[in-house]
Amino acid sequence: MNAVAVVSIGILVGIYLVLLGFSLQVRRWAGQDARYSLLFLLVTGLLSQGYQSLSLSQRFLAFSYIGVPILADLLIRRGDSLLLWFWAIWLWIPVEFRIGFRTGLEHSSAIALGTMCFLWLMAVRRDEWTGMLRLPRIEEIKWAILGLLGFALFAIPFGFLTEFLRWEPRYLSPLQALWIYLLTAFPEEVLYRGILFGQLRRWMDWRLALLLSSLLFGISHFNDRPYWGGSYFLLSIVAGGLYGWIFHITNNLHSSALFHWGVDFLWMLLFGRGK
């Protein structure tokens, strides 16, 4: 990895961590000035191009994935937010189903960059997201741990009975553990719980909203090779339902993301794919 890539990744991770932990301060600093959003788009877009070895078409896709939601938000300002949600879900599909990206790293980095875009928009523009993005309290962390234990009691026996799982412990570095949170757990919680479930529960009973968002979460994992299959699909639906339930109780994305991170981390640490 060359020096430009190292510097680019370092700055991007720094921006990401600031947005994760200090959204309220970002809101106070940036306010409602559209120029800050445009500057954020340009900086993250240029940094993303500095470390990814992509073809021209993939560079355009990655840049548009970051930029289109911000540009849409600049156009609609504080008007109808449905347009923003439409763009969010539409832009997520190529990444979630790995259309146009060659490797898992490109897939994950595109998710993370897109999530940074949404974190910026939500921190700066949407009042209701201030609480969702704040660091979790102790009781919310306890809910995440309780959810993880409950899911493990179902998922581990189910996984072995269906031969989906096998015992295969391995070493994961602290950096890999951090990557699971930054590139997988938190980005998916932003989309499926923060945006999708959060919007659906405004239109309908939260239980029905939870069911629909969990089904979509399962569908998005159906093509997640090499894990895909009926067992993985069912486990994803159950996990998505529990993530959404924890989010509904706490209204905090970090609590459901910590639960999500615990599932993915323990899976990668202790288990492999069975038959």
Side-chain angles (χ1 to χ4, degrees), residues 194-219:
I195 295 177
L196 186 58
F197 175 56
Q199 190 70 30
L200 287 174
R201 67 181 177 178
R202 291 185 175 188
W203 301 340
M204 61 187 70
D205 182 80
W206 72 269
R207 298 171 186 83
L208 180 57
L210 181 62
L211 176 61
L212 290 176
S213 61
S214 300
L215 285 173
L216 289 173
F217 184 70
I219 290 170

Side-chain angles (χ1 to χ4, degrees), residues 17-232:
L17 292 174
V18 168
L19 290 172
L20 284 176
F22 302 99
S23 59
L24 181 58
Q25 289 80 356
V26 169
R27 179 176 179 79
R28 290 171 177 170
W29 172 69
Q32 299 299 313
D33 193 334
R35 292 175 298 177
Y36 288 107
S37 291
L38 186 59
L39 179 62
F40 177 83
L41 161 64
L42 293 174
V43 170
T44 52
L46 290 173
L47 287 171
S48 71
Q49 304 307 310
Y51 80 90
Q52 297 188 88
S53 300
L54 306 177
S55 66
L56 181 61
S57 62
Q58 288 174 320
R59 286 177 180 270
F60 178 79
L61 177 61
F63 192 84
S64 66
Y65 184 70
I66 302 167
V68 170
I70 283 186
L71 295 178
D73 189 71
L74 293 176
L75 291 174
I76 63 177
R77 298 305 297 268
R78 301 189 66 84
D80 186 4
S81 63
L82 293 181
L83 177 61
L84 180 60
W85 305 135
F86 171 79
W87 278 115
I89 295 171
W90 184 86
L91 287 170
W92 193 272
I93 290 174
V95 180
E96 194 63 71
F97 290 92
R98 307 199 179 201
I99 300 172
F101 294 94
R102 297 170 300 189
T103 67
L105 178 61
E106 292 170 2
H107 166 256
S108 300
S109 62
I111 289 178
L113 290 167
T115 303
M116 279 201 292
C117 165
F118 289 119
L119 290 177
W120 176 269
L121 290 178
M122 298 307 109
V124 173
R125 298 259 188 242
R126 308 286 187 252
D127 294 333
E128 70 271 21
W129 276 69
T130 301
M132 293 184 193
L133 294 175
R134 63 170 169 74
L135 295 177
R137 302 186 180 99
I138 295 298
E139 58 268 23
E140 293 164 344
I141 296 175
K142 290 179 180 178
W143 275 113
I145 295 173
L146 181 63
L148 177 61
L149 292 175
F151 180 69
L153 289 175
F154 163 73
I156 294 176
F158 176 83
F160 281 110
L161 287 172
T162 58
E163 298 185 324
F164 174 72
L165 293 178
R166 71 171 184 270
W167 180 251
E168 191 179 290
R170 64 183 69 83
Y171 171 75
L172 292 180
S173 69
L175 185 59
Q176 287 174 304
L178 177 63
W179 270 184
I180 293 171
Y181 191 84
L182 294 181
L183 301 184
T184 303
F186 194 83
E188 290 194 345
E189 291 309 298
V190 168
L191 174 70
Y192 289 100
R193 261 54 70 179
I195 295 177
L196 186 58
F197 175 56
Q199 190 70 30
L200 287 174
R201 67 181 177 178
R202 291 185 175 188
W203 301 340
M204 61 187 70
D205 182 80
W206 72 269
R207 298 171 186 83
L208 180 57
L210 181 62
L211 176 61
L212 290 176
S213 61
S214 300
L215 285 173
L216 289 173
F217 184 70
I219 290 170
S220 73
H221 286 72
F222 194 76
N223 193 37
D224 193 5
R225 299 179 183 180
Y227 307 110
W228 65 331
S231 298
Y232 187 52

